[in-house]
């Protein structure tokens, strides 16, 4: 699933959307608003792309950000805890 930085979530198919909504209801995924808050606390960058993927029962937010110097940053968060798993980019 892909999100715009300020837009509502966009799903590519109903089945994936239903899976995501079920996972949110079960507490397996923190909502996008909580992710935005976490990113704003940790990084001085703006979200430009978000993907939410599920692999073997674990949900991962994959983000692309742009910082104040126009550097692209890629970061992954575990969707249930919003713990940062990986970060890549220049001048970090």
């Amino acid at each position: 699933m892909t999100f715009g930085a300020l837009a509502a979530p966009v799903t590519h198919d109903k089945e994936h959307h239903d899976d995501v909504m079920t996972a949110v209801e079960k507490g397996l995924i923190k909502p996008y608003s909580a992710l935005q808050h976490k990113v704003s606390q940790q990084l001085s960058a703006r979200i430009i792309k978000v993907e939410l993927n599920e692999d073997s029962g674990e949900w991962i937010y994959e983000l692309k950000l742009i910082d104040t110097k126009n550097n692209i940053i890629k970061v992954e968060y575990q969707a249930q805890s919003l713990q940062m798993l990986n970060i890549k980019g220049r001048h970090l």
Side-chain angles (χ1 to χ4, degrees), residues 1-48:
M1 172 162 45
T2 303
F3 295 93
L6 299 173
V10 176
T11 59
H12 298 289
D13 60 52
K14 183 173 174 15
E15 182 179 320
H16 186 71
H17 176 76
D18 292 345
D19 291 346
V20 170
M21 296 308 295
T22 300
V24 169
E25 290 170 2
K26 290 181 177 181
L28 301 175
I29 300 173
K30 294 280 190 211
Y32 179 65
S33 59
L35 175 67
Q36 285 179 304
H37 181 72
K38 185 72 156 186
V39 170
S40 71
Q41 289 178 321
Q42 293 182 330
L43 303 166
S44 295
R46 183 172 49 96
I47 299 171
I48 57 175

Side-chain angles (χ1 to χ4, degrees), residues 7-8 17-18 20 23 33-34 40 42 46 50 56 64 67 71 73 78 88:
H17 176 76
D18 292 345
V20 170
S33 59
S40 71
Q42 293 182 330
R46 183 172 49 96
V50 176
S56 301
K64 187 182 283 187
D67 70 11
N71 294 307
I73 301 167
Q78 199 281 338
K88 295 178 187 176

